[in-house]
Amino acid sequence: MHRRFYAARLAALVVLLLCSKTVFSRPDMTPLGPNIADKGSAFYHFAVNTFDSTDGKRHYKVWTAIPKKSPPAAGYPVLYLLDGNAVMDKLSEPLLQKLSERDPPVLVAVGYQTDLPFDLTARAYDYTPAAEGEPQNLRGRQGGGSALFRQLLETTIAPQAEKGVAVNPQKRALWGHSYGGLLVLESYLSSTFFSAYYSAVPSLERNNFTLLKAMGRLPKASFSHKSLWFLEGDGDRKANDENATSGVLSAIQHRVSRLRADDLPVTYLLYPGLTHGAMFDVSMKAAILHMSGEALPASH
């Protein structure tokens, strides 16, 4: 009798686990076809460069999209976008046309030498900071290489991507999603290379909130010239509150409120109902359009 009871309970638990949704669904890893750089654009031309990590284990492919419209006197604004393969797959001619009708930015899509949307192993290492205390939950992949990657980005990739291009160094921005959002936050805290930072649904749970805690008190003199945007969606959490890490959005809102009280240009933007995955496309396009002069949604 007891065996049947516990067997039934175990079976019910297994069914519940199999049927439950995870907070962050796995990305679509279907191989990519030709992108806008391969097809050509009437509004942008593209340059492609390749790089290797210093240890030779990771291999990068970087697309630089340069407007065909003449640059302003101070140079084009420039936006660096992580997960460049997926970014290039989502860039479209109508979007580039819309940019060209405003103040078009240079777009630098930093990806990997693969035909897949994401190099899951490489991005886990490149985009996450070194762990302190409890290990990060990276699904068995090694993390902690963000400082090395950021050095490569700022000292090797960026100079080559911007070579011969009229870029305004005072309008240099960085966008990243998920693990990439963590790299954006770490760069905001540690770098002066960029002036604007777009962190889309950063995987703070996998980083044990270390980066958010590091934003407790920031010296105004060092951070007043840098703008930071948190771009979040709550679709995953509304769909399955039990599996969501509690307090993520409220923790971000609280931190942003404290920083804004210190007169720092930090903004929290919520896209109601959008899931973690859906925020990739939406936040990427929002950042690109914002760099061209289009307003972001009202802050929350």
Side-chain angles (χ1 to χ4, degrees), residues 133-144:
E134 297 181 12
Q136 300 178 72
N137 174 17
L138 302 180
R139 292 177 175 168
R141 302 182 181 96
Q142 183 181 359

Side-chain angles (χ1 to χ4, degrees), residues 256-267:
V256 169
S257 296
R258 291 288 298 272
L259 293 173
R260 290 178 69 86
D262 292 336
D263 294 324
L264 293 178
V266 180
T267 304

Side-chain angles (χ1 to χ4, degrees), residues 8-125:
R9 290 289 299 274
L10 179 60
L13 178 60
V14 170
V15 170
L16 177 63
L17 291 173
L18 290 175
C19 293
S20 65
K21 298 178 181 178
T22 57
V23 176
F24 304 140
S25 59
R26 295 181 182 275
D28 180 3
M29 294 298 287
T30 304
L32 302 174
N35 59 43
I36 190 71
D38 303 314
K39 299 172 184 176
S41 168
F43 308 100
Y44 274 72
H45 61 88
F46 293 83
V48 181
N49 292 288
T50 57
F51 304 88
D52 298 310
S53 61
T54 53
D55 61 8
K57 294 182 179 180
R58 290 163 303 284
H59 310 283
Y60 308 94
K61 186 173 184 178
V62 178
W63 295 263
T64 304
I66 306 161
K68 294 182 178 179
K69 187 176 181 178
S70 298
Y76 298 111
V78 55
L79 175 61
Y80 285 77
L81 302 118
L82 304 175
D83 288 317
N85 303 73
V87 167
M88 290 301 299
D89 186 57
K90 295 180 181 299
L91 281 186
S92 65
E93 186 72 343
L95 176 59
L96 298 183
Q97 180 178 5
K98 189 172 183 179
L99 295 178
S100 72
E101 294 168 354
R102 304 180 68 90
D103 297 316
V106 169
L107 304 175
V108 182
V110 183
Y112 296 93
Q113 295 177 37
T114 177
D115 63 350
L116 300 176
F118 305 97
D119 186 326
L120 298 178
T121 299
R123 75 189 293 272
Y125 183 78

Side-chain angles (χ1 to χ4, degrees), residues 151-173:
Q151 182 180 30
L152 179 72
L153 176 63
E154 295 181 5
T155 64
T156 302
I157 293 177
Q160 183 62 39
E162 296 179 6
K163 187 176 181 180
V165 182
V167 164
N168 183 351
Q170 304 304 315
K171 291 187 176 182
R172 189 184 279 127

